Amino acid sequence: MQGKKQVELRTRDGGTIPIGTVTFKPDSEKMTFALALDLKEFRDHFLSMREFKCLEGPELQCHVPYPYGNPRTVSASDLSWLEHGLIFFFKVPADYGAKLSNGLYYAMKLTDAGIIGTPKSVDLNDIAAPPNEPNTPPFGPDARTDIEPRTRWIETLIIH
């Protein structure tokens, strides 16, 4: 977990969508990170009176930038702030508006192959107001729900 790494999404049909890079730098006991999304695969969608950057496939998957300040630090055992930088929601293209209750949070683990993120369900309405504890990530394990494998178009997030 050092230097510049590629961020990709893997679809259930085996496709790969590159979405940017993350750069890790040592900072005492933790690492700082800088996330840079490459938006060339994303399309603009105006949903529920807001513009979102979305990937188009069997469903739309739209990036939701975490709206509050955070320390942008990670450790081998705690990737939660990086996870918060890569939250999305999904919707069926025919549905109207953004459904923030359909949030996708990629719970990440450090592996020999890189960082692997598995989608979990979250309600993005929970971050409509600033958190009471700004240095505590709001989507802790209790705020996430498992998703049945192969039900979402994008199955995995990979950083390598």
Side-chain angles (χ1 to χ4, degrees), residues 61-97:
Q61 184 159 318
C62 304
H63 181 250
V64 179
Y66 183 70
Y68 310 108
N70 69 73
R72 297 193 194 304
T73 57
V74 292
S75 68
S77 62
D78 183 4
L79 300 167
S80 54
W81 284 120
L82 179 58
E83 293 166 341
H84 279 70
L86 291 162
I87 52 179
F88 295 82
F89 70 86
F90 70 90
K91 72 180 250 13
V92 176
D95 285 351
Y96 179 78

Side-chain angles (χ1 to χ4, degrees), residues 29 74 100 113 126 149-150:
E29 297 160 18
V74 292
L100 296 178
D126 292 348
R150 302 194 58 77

Side-chain angles (χ1 to χ4, degrees), residues 14-94:
T16 299
I17 305 167
I19 63 165
T21 61
V22 62
T23 304
F24 297 101
K25 293 182 183 173
D27 182 29
S28 64
E29 297 160 18
K30 294 191 173 197
M31 303 286 279
T32 61
F33 71 89
L35 183 62
L37 289 183
D38 179 355
L39 300 175
K40 70 180 170 203
E41 298 291 332
F42 290 78
R43 301 292 172 259
D44 292 335
H45 284 264
F46 195 71
L47 305 167
S48 301
M49 303 301 291
R50 275 185 64 190
E51 185 178 320
F52 290 97
K53 303 294 185 190
C54 302
L55 297 165
E56 297 175 334
E59 59 191 19
L60 292 182
Q61 184 159 318
C62 304
H63 181 250
V64 179
Y66 183 70
Y68 310 108
N70 69 73
R72 297 193 194 304
T73 57
V74 292
S75 68
S77 62
D78 183 4
L79 300 167
S80 54
W81 284 120
L82 179 58
E83 293 166 341
H84 279 70
L86 291 162
I87 52 179
F88 295 82
F89 70 86
F90 70 90
K91 72 180 250 13
V92 176

Side-chain angles (χ1 to χ4, degrees), residues 64 66-68 84 87-90 98-105 120-129 138-147:
V64 179
Y66 183 70
Y68 310 108
H84 279 70
I87 52 179
F88 295 82
F89 70 86
F90 70 90
K99 294 186 178 179
L100 296 178
S101 59
N102 289 341
L104 293 172
Y105 180 99
K120 304 287 183 181
S121 178
V122 293
D123 186 346
L124 297 177
N125 291 305
D126 292 348
I127 59 172
F139 290 121
D142 293 344
R144 306 177 219 155
T145 306
D146 288 339
I147 294 175

